[in-house]
Each structure stands twice: as C-alpha cells, then as structure tokens.
Amino acid sequence: MKILHVEDNELNRKLVRVLLAPAGHEIVEAESAGEAIEKLREAPPPDLVLLDISLPGGGLTVAAHVRSRPELSGVKVVALTALAMRGDRERFLAAGCDEYISKPLDARTFASRVEELLLRRNNGSESV
Ligand code: MN
C-alpha cells in the first residue's frame, strides 16, 4: 500500500517510518500542506494519508483538498494529532478526515491500527 505521511516534525516522521517498516508499505512524506498537495498530484494516489494537523498550511487544508478531488475519493485520511480537546474529533471528521489517532503515538498499537484502516478501505466498508 502507498501511504502519504504529512508531518513537519522530523522525529515524528522517523517514528512512523520505523513503526510501519515491517509491513513493507511505500511511505511518501511531506512536511507542509503545500508539499502534501503536490505529492497528491503524483499517480497513483496514496491509499492512506496520515495527517498531522499542526503544520505549515494546516493539516485540515490537506483533508479539504482530498475531499474536493473526485480522483482522490478512495483516499482515506487519518488525522494524527496531540490536540484532544472536547469536540476536536468531530471537527476533524467534519473537515474530511475519516479517523483520528491521538499523539503521542502508541508504539505497541499504531502499526496494527494502520493495517486495520487500510483493510477497511479495501473492503470499501464503513468509515467511522
Ligand atoms: Mn506538527
């Protein structure tokens, strides 16, 4: 599977690379909303976007972009963020994210969570 990881923090990018390495996915990285939108122009589109919310240009800009493009309709968007205030999950979902994983990432469960999301996408069944 192809995964686009949008994250401005280098250590967080490295952590996700390490945690997902055993599964052998192709991981493409972007450090800003602008860079992510550029990467989304490349074919084939990613199966999954792992999206930091606090980054240059704003993560939700990327979610809105994905949802505005018919050719990206099969792309699953998962917000990764430390913001965990009441109502945030609803705000992310309203902005076009399919799911939300809170930071700090749980190293024991993150990879299996991602596999589960990819599987759900392939089955074309429900999102959250
Ligand atoms: Mn960030």
Side-chain angles (χ1 to χ4, degrees):
M1 298 282 145
K2 182 175 173 179
I3 297 174
L4 173 61
H5 183 207
V6 189
E7 168 63 77
D8 59 341
N9 180 285
E10 189 182 347
L11 286 176
N12 288 340
R13 288 199 303 275
K14 185 175 181 189
L15 174 64
V16 166
R17 280 202 298 277
V18 168
L19 293 176
L20 296 184
H25 298 300
E26 178 192 355
I27 299 179
V28 176
E29 296 175 340
E31 299 180 31
S32 66
E35 197 186 342
I37 288 167
E38 260 175 50
K39 297 273 163 80
L40 285 164
R41 291 200 182 98
E42 294 167 11
D47 299 284
L48 178 69
V49 178
L50 295 174
L51 185 60
D52 178 34
I53 298 298
S54 302
L55 48 67
L60 295 183
T61 306
V62 179
H65 176 82
V66 169
R67 292 303 161 234
S68 72
R69 298 294 166 129
E71 71 273 20
L72 300 177
S73 62
V75 178
K76 200 162 189 72
V77 179
V78 177
L80 300 184
T81 177
L83 301 173
M85 313 229 319
R86 191 182 166 87
D88 273 342
R89 183 172 184 277
E90 289 67 27
R91 193 163 61 87
F92 301 149
L93 298 186
C97 299
D98 297 292
E99 198 30 292
Y100 163 49
I101 296 176
S102 59
K103 289 181 184 175
L105 300 180
D106 184 339
R108 296 162 306 169
T109 60
F110 180 70
S112 58
R113 194 86 179 81
V114 167
E115 291 312 307
E116 185 191 309
L117 291 163
L118 284 167
L119 197 67
R120 227 196 273 171
R121 176 196 175 276
N122 290 339
N123 291 340
S125 57
E126 102 285 15
S127 55
V128 186

